[in-house]
Structure formats: structure tokens, C-alpha cells
Amino acid sequence: MDDIAGQYKRPVVTVGNFDGVHMGHQKIFSEVVRRARNIDGTAIVMTFDPHPAVFTNPQLKMKFLTPFEIKTQLIENSEVDVLICIVFNKEFASLAPEQFIRDVLVQQLGVAHVIVGHGFRFGRGKKGTTESFRRLSKRFGFGFNVVRNVRRGGLVVSSSRIRELLLRGDIDQTNKLLERPYFIDGIVVKGKDRGGKCLGIPTANLCCADEFLPCGGVYAVRARTDNDLFEGVANVGLNPTFGDNELSCEAHIFDYNGDLVGNTLRVYFIKRLRDEMTFASVDALKTQIHKDIAQAKGLLKRFNRVYVNI
């Protein structure tokens, strides 16, 4: 991070990973913007790339709700003024809590106020807490406050909870906590053409190795390519009827006859229709897919088409 002291007027800053940019994160961003406007300051979000978990535990090969590019788009849509990304490397990871506050927030940024979420941890080994942050803010002369957790259904809204919901296939609750439809991006690749040749139902096969896929099953979806928005159904899973063993996502887009291979397709998960199933025959599978399509069309008519501008 370069020395940017004096570049921003009265910086009001929040710091975090913000994976998913869910309603809890949005509450923090709103408070940052509100306070910055009250003091004629600059609303700033500070995040990291790579995610600290990737740096500290690369063997885990973690997948995130929002890959970095999507996360930055969502944050930029939250009305904050500035997004600062810090390269999370060995040098930065070694900063003690006091060093991070003194060297980065005070000396380089000239912070006026810091806002974080409940349970925020920072500094080398995550030794810094909100209480130590509060003490250090008084020493270095800037304001500090903690935004209380957002709760839904008696539970705290968090990135880890959303992952759990996705792994259960609970798209309804996931989308409520995100305040938007959960989506993934994938490059459309040439598949085995079973949908077209065997079933008469062509599908777009997505290469989405870095995406956090929901629980296997069939979903009513909307899909965006370039500026065009379509409706469809998507299957996430192993295609057990055909004996596949690699997790995949393939989408059938209603009323689309073009060739999507090589394009990026953004798939918004709207409603889960059923579990993935093994069928006795291709004809039985085909019959069920037509039922899925009819059900999805009925459901999608009842869902609003409003999306975040991404």
C-alpha cells in the first residue's frame, strides 16, 4: 500500500474481508457512508487480496461466495467513495495490531474514524480485538465504533452461515441474507452434448472451478450474458444417470438458440426445485426435466426481475 496520507478528506474507514457482501456487511457500509457524510469526509472500504485464509492456509483451496472481482463490484455499488485493496503478503501478515493501526490507518491514510463489525479480529495471528482497537483509537486520536450483528431467525448473518445454507441447498434463506440472488460466473465450455443429442434439451456447460456451488440439485435460475437476461433451469451435481463423477453446473436457457461457448454466463439461483436424482432411463430423465422446466417457468413469473447492477 503506497503512502496516500492527505489524499482523502477525513477518511471514515471499515476494514474486512467482506466475503459475500451480505446484509451484515451492507449495514456496516451504510454506517460508514452516513458518518462520512456527517463530517464531510470520505467513505472508504479497505479489503485484502488474496483473502488471508488463502495466504495462511493455501492447502485448503478455499472457495468463496464472491471471488475478488465480484466482491469489488458489489462493494462499489454500496455508495462508498473509495475501495482500497491491500495485497495480503508475508510482510503485511506480520504486522502486529498496533503496527497496522499506526502505520497503515494513521500514518498512511490519516484516518478520522473506523467502523468494524462485531467480533472483528486483526493484526498478526488475529490477536487484535475490537476492545484493543478501541484503546488504540484513543491513543492515536481517531473515532471508533462497532456495528452490532444483523440477525435473522435468531442467528447471526455471516459468510459462514451463508455457506452452510448453500451446502443445504437453501436458496430462499441464502438470498434473503444476501439481499440479492446468489450467483456464480462460469465460462461456457463444450460439453458432451447429452442435453441436445440425447434429450433434445440443450444446456450450457459451465467451467466454474473457483465458484462456490450450492448443494447438488435442480434450480430455477436466471442467466445473464453481456446485457441480456434469460430464464432457465440449472442442474448442479454429478449427473448420476450418466455415471459422471465430477461436480458440474449446466443450465438450460429458455428460448435461446445461439451458441454460448466461450462466453461468460452469470447464473442467478432463484429457487431450488428438487434434489439430483438417478433415473432408470434417459426417457425418464427427459420427462422429469420437462416437468422441471414447466415448474421453473411458473415460479419465475412470480419473482421480481430486479437485480443489483452487476
Side-chain angles (χ1 to χ4, degrees), residues 192 194-195 198-199 238-245 250 277-279 281-282 285 289:
K192 298 177 181 178
R194 292 171 181 154
C198 296
L199 303 172
L238 302 175
N239 293 313
T241 301
F242 293 100
D244 292 349
N245 56 14
E250 53 184 308
M277 302 163 58
T278 302
F279 293 89
S281 67
V282 171
L285 171 60
I289 292 176

Side-chain angles (χ1 to χ4, degrees), residues 270-285:
I270 307 299
K271 191 78 174 178
R272 192 169 196 267
L273 304 181
R274 62 173 175 86
D275 291 338
E276 190 172 40
M277 302 163 58
T278 302
F279 293 89
S281 67
V282 171
D283 284 342
L285 171 60

Side-chain angles (χ1 to χ4, degrees), residues 168-188:
R168 297 204 303 262
D170 193 341
I171 288 297
D172 290 347
Q173 285 301 313
T174 294
N175 292 350
K176 287 178 181 178
L177 301 193
L178 291 174
E179 295 189 308
R180 60 175 173 83
Y182 181 69
F183 64 83
I184 62 170
D185 283 348
I187 302 295
V188 180

Side-chain angles (χ1 to χ4, degrees), residues 64-124:
F64 299 98
L65 302 173
T66 45
F68 183 75
E69 293 78 10
I70 293 174
K71 180 172 74 172
T72 58
Q73 291 174 37
L74 289 166
I75 292 173
E76 287 168 359
N77 285 339
S78 67
E79 299 186 359
V80 299
D81 300 313
V82 177
L83 173 62
I84 295 176
C85 177
I86 292 179
V87 177
F88 198 92
N89 53 24
K90 184 176 181 180
E91 180 182 0
F92 186 82
S94 69
L95 291 178
E98 182 174 341
Q99 288 179 292
F100 169 68
I101 290 175
R102 182 192 64 220
D103 297 351
V104 177
L105 295 181
V106 176
Q107 294 182 358
Q108 295 190 46
L109 191 56
V111 68
H113 197 98
V114 174
I115 299 171
V116 298
H118 184 79
F120 177 75
R121 303 299 292 262
F122 69 105
R124 184 173 60 237

Side-chain angles (χ1 to χ4, degrees), residues 12 14 35 49 75 102 110 121 129 133 149 173 175 191 200 208 221 258 284 305:
V12 178
T14 186
R35 190 171 290 269
D49 187 42
I75 292 173
R102 182 192 64 220
R121 303 299 292 262
T129 66
F133 214 135
N149 288 327
Q173 285 301 313
N175 292 350
C208 43
V221 302
R305 285 178 172 268

Side-chain angles (χ1 to χ4, degrees), residues 13-52:
V13 183
T14 186
V15 184
N17 295 309
F18 307 117
D19 185 32
V21 194
H22 53 63
M23 63 191 310
H25 299 144
Q26 292 292 340
K27 181 179 178 182
I28 295 172
F29 300 157
S30 294
E31 177 63 13
V32 168
V33 171
R34 185 193 67 79
R35 190 171 290 269
R37 300 296 178 264
N38 285 345
I39 65 171
D40 191 25
T42 308
I44 298 176
V45 172
M46 181 180 290
T47 191
F48 312 100
D49 187 42
H51 191 290

